[in-house]
Amino acid sequence: MLTLRPPLPQDEQPLRRLHAQLAAEDFELLLAEGDWAQILAQVAREASGTDLPPGRVRAEFLVAEVDGTPVGRVSIRYALTPFLLEVGGHVGYAVGPDHRRRGHATEILRQSVQRLADAGVDRVLVTCNDDNAASATVIERCGGVLEDVRERPGDGPAKRRYWISPRAAPGRAASR
């Protein structure tokens, strides 16, 4: 069973390994720099929404763990800045190469949408690169409806932008 949880002191080596693997794919697993204590402190500040730099919103950085092993991560953002509305969305997730094709990404996104719904977010924006068919499939499995594909001339690949209505998302608890 996959669980999402905050990073712990003992996660440094496994997460740095995952970070190195995903860096080869131009994806940053760790969104903070510094020694591990500094990274954990930044994660805690962002999760509580305190002392945020300009342009940042309250966001949880959570480790995706299966049977005691970190397999990926998710960033759940509880508001959208203009940049997040255009490019980043509410949820950014990744699964390490050794752990793919097992449904982990779908479960990470499903649980993330649930967390956002529980916090009162009624429409969840999730984006992916236009050429990332695997991520597009994950988003669609979780109820994502494609709004558009936005070109980003000179600023990276085009982005597919999907909206998920948590009440209509597959796997949503009926008792809400």
Side-chain angles (χ1 to χ4, degrees), residues 20-167:
Q21 290 173 346
L22 290 166
E25 300 174 358
D26 289 327
F27 188 91
E28 288 188 53
L29 182 90
L30 299 174
L31 301 174
E33 295 182 5
D35 66 34
W36 196 245
Q38 291 170 320
I39 290 172
L40 292 178
Q42 180 176 332
V43 165
R45 278 191 310 276
E46 289 183 359
S48 68
T50 57
D51 299 324
L52 297 176
R56 301 289 292 210
V57 298
R58 182 170 86 83
E60 290 182 288
F61 176 95
L62 302 170
V63 175
E65 178 182 86
V66 175
D67 297 327
T69 300
V71 299
R73 69 96 164 139
V74 65
S75 295
I76 303 172
R77 298 171 283 264
Y78 289 88
L80 295 175
T81 63
F83 173 80
L84 293 174
L85 182 61
E86 187 72 21
V87 177
H90 285 100
V91 180
Y93 58 89
V95 174
D98 295 342
H99 305 284
R100 292 181 181 155
R101 306 192 70 72
R102 300 178 195 173
H104 298 325
T106 301
E107 183 60 15
I108 289 169
L109 182 54
R110 188 195 67 73
Q111 288 186 35
S112 299
V113 168
Q114 180 68 53
R115 288 174 93 98
L116 285 159
D118 291 346
V121 176
D122 59 0
R123 280 183 25 142
V124 176
L125 177 64
V126 186
T127 70
C128 68
N129 288 350
D130 190 34
D131 63 356
N132 189 340
S135 192
T137 299
V138 165
I139 297 166
E140 291 166 5
R141 277 190 189 133
C142 289
V145 176
L146 182 66
E147 178 179 64
D148 59 18
V149 178
R150 296 199 180 170
E151 296 296 326
R152 300 177 60 224
D155 196 26
K159 289 286 184 179
R160 298 175 68 85
R161 297 174 67 256
Y162 291 88
W163 290 95
I164 299 173
S165 175
R167 287 182 295 277

